[in-house]
Amino acid sequence: MPAESVLVLAGAQQGLDLIARCLIDPGDAVIIDRPGYLGAIQSFHAAGAKLIGWDVLNSDIDELEDLLVRYRPKLIYTNPTFQNPTGVTMPIRTRRELLKLAERYRVPIVEDATYRELYFTDVPPPSLRELDGQNLVIYLNSFSKVMAPGLRLGWLSAAPSIIDQIAIIKQRLDPHTQNLVQFAMARLISEGDFDAHLKTLRGEHARRCALMLAAMQRHIPPGALRVGRPHGGLYLWCRLSAGVSSRALLDRALSAGIAFVAGHAFRQSLDSKE
Ligand SMILES: Cc1ncc(COP(=O)(O)O)c(C=O)c1O
């Protein structure tokens, strides 16, 4: 990838904030995963965007087209692989259809690929950026989930014209992402240690996920909860049976030393078709 298509960041969250500052004017519509990553909701919200949720659990392409026609959004934000918070991965067919729609309506897509490398066994479908023939995708990734969140190291890859504009805004706030961390990461990658580390990480996450699912099956009465089976990433998305309040359950769980995030948090401030 040519250097002029890449901007090194202090983490993916900085990228979201910069994209929002660069591309969003108050009142602009942004289509975003629903439920969606809280940090993205907050960044676009802070830029004054009107947030329109696209249901990621159905990822219905007709619904998306309807939203594009109705709201004429400035951009689409999605976290298509092992999504935060649902753990779902967008199928290849939907990826292709999404790109076709983005091209037809000339809407850029922000692809947040933070969990892409954390597959358990099978490699996920190609990224939107890889499938994109029109330079419509602004690709965002980070070493936070695959190395250490405290490194504060991530990157954006996009058309050079977009990278140039975002780099100007970045210079105002953060003239240079730390060299030392970049050198250390570059060395880990070039000497092969990073790939070896990723392999270990994938196996360990797969093991922990299987343990968690087995424990849930053992301890939770049948029918009380439905849980998705992710193929990678860090998240388990659960649905409670009717009549059980996630807020009430959270209070009980916390007093037993178990934490989870109740789902309504990931839908706050999002409008949708419903
Ligand atoms: C989907 C998603 N994007 C971005 C981030 C932020 O990552 P970073 O630590 O690189 O700023 C997170 C962190 O939880 C995330 O889940």
Side-chain angles (χ1 to χ4, degrees), residues 218-231:
R218 219 171 27 250
H219 296 293
I220 298 174
L225 187 98
R226 275 185 297 147
V227 56
R229 286 189 170 264
H231 301 287

Side-chain angles (χ1 to χ4, degrees), residues 10-16 37-40 77 79 82-84 112-115 140-145 148-150 152-154 235:
Q13 190 61 42
Q14 184 182 54
L16 286 169
Y37 166 53
L38 274 177
Y77 165 86
N79 173 208
F82 315 131
Q83 196 239 10
N84 177 359
D112 186 334
T114 309
Y115 300 94
L140 186 62
N141 210 331
S142 158
F143 290 105
S144 284
K145 315 294 170 181
R152 306 313 306 143
L153 191 61
Y235 302 103

Side-chain angles (χ1 to χ4, degrees), residues 17-36:
D17 186 67
L18 290 170
I19 292 166
R21 285 171 197 254
C22 183
L23 298 180
I24 302 301
D25 293 315
D28 283 344
V30 167
I31 293 183
I32 183 164
D33 294 344
R34 177 176 184 272

Side-chain angles (χ1 to χ4, degrees), residues 4-272:
E4 58 274 19
S5 302
V6 178
L7 181 67
V8 176
L9 303 166
Q13 190 61 42
Q14 184 182 54
L16 286 169
D17 186 67
L18 290 170
I19 292 166
R21 285 171 197 254
C22 183
L23 298 180
I24 302 301
D25 293 315
D28 283 344
V30 167
I31 293 183
I32 183 164
D33 294 344
R34 177 176 184 272
Y37 166 53
L38 274 177
I41 295 177
Q42 283 160 0
S43 290
F44 291 121
H45 207 245
K50 175 178 170 55
L51 298 178
I52 314 295
W54 179 40
D55 182 347
V56 283
L57 292 162
N58 290 326
S59 58
D60 175 349
I61 215 74
D62 292 335
E63 181 195 344
L64 178 63
E65 181 154 23
D66 197 24
L67 297 176
L68 287 166
V69 171
R70 198 183 311 179
Y71 295 101
R72 295 278 156 191
K74 212 51 176 302
L75 60 84
I76 300 169
Y77 165 86
T78 186
N79 173 208
T81 313
F82 315 131
Q83 196 239 10
N84 177 359
T86 62
V88 297
T89 291
M90 189 187 288
I92 177 90
R93 227 182 69 201
T94 314
R95 289 176 191 237
R96 291 215 161 95
E97 288 170 341
L98 165 59
L99 282 163
K100 264 193 227 151
L101 282 186
E103 192 185 331
R104 189 174 315 146
Y105 292 93
R106 303 303 304 162
V107 184
I109 302 172
V110 176
E111 175 179 26
D112 186 334
T114 309
Y115 300 94
R116 235 199 110 70
E117 292 300 331
L118 290 179
Y119 52 88
F120 296 157
T121 47
D122 297 335
V123 178
S127 66
L128 295 166
R129 177 89 174 128
E130 285 168 277
L131 296 169
D132 174 22
Q134 304 289 322
N135 245 348
L136 281 172
V137 175
I138 303 172
Y139 177 91
L140 186 62
N141 210 331
S142 158
F143 290 105
S144 284
K145 315 294 170 181
V146 286
M147 202 63 213
L151 285 180
R152 306 313 306 143
L153 191 61
W155 71 100
L156 264 177
S157 141
S161 54
I162 296 203
I163 293 290
D164 287 350
Q165 287 179 46
I166 295 179
I168 289 170
I169 300 174
K170 180 170 181 286
Q171 272 168 24
R172 289 207 310 257
L173 322 156
D174 174 17
H176 196 73
T177 304
Q178 291 181 57
N179 272 339
L180 192 57
V181 171
Q182 293 188 55
F183 278 129
M185 230 16 256
R187 190 148 156 196
L188 282 172
I189 293 169
S190 65
E191 293 184 356
D193 298 319
F194 182 59
D195 281 346
H197 168 70
L198 275 180
K199 253 190 212 152
T200 314
L201 211 56
R202 288 175 189 134
E204 182 58 22
H205 283 313
R207 191 185 70 81
R208 290 184 191 193
C209 182
L211 274 180
M212 184 70 180
L213 288 169
M216 288 170 91
Q217 200 170 14
R218 219 171 27 250
H219 296 293
I220 298 174
L225 187 98
R226 275 185 297 147
V227 56
R229 286 189 170 264
H231 301 287
L234 304 181
Y235 302 103
L236 278 183
W237 181 252
C238 303
R239 288 175 203 232
L240 292 166
S241 54
V244 185
S245 145
S246 58
R247 290 172 215 236
L249 185 65
L250 180 59
D251 289 340
R252 297 274 294 275
L254 285 175
S255 60
I258 296 167
F260 63 86
V261 185
H264 60 86
F266 304 103
R267 292 193 172 90
Q268 65 186 354
S269 342
L270 302 191
D271 288 348
S272 71

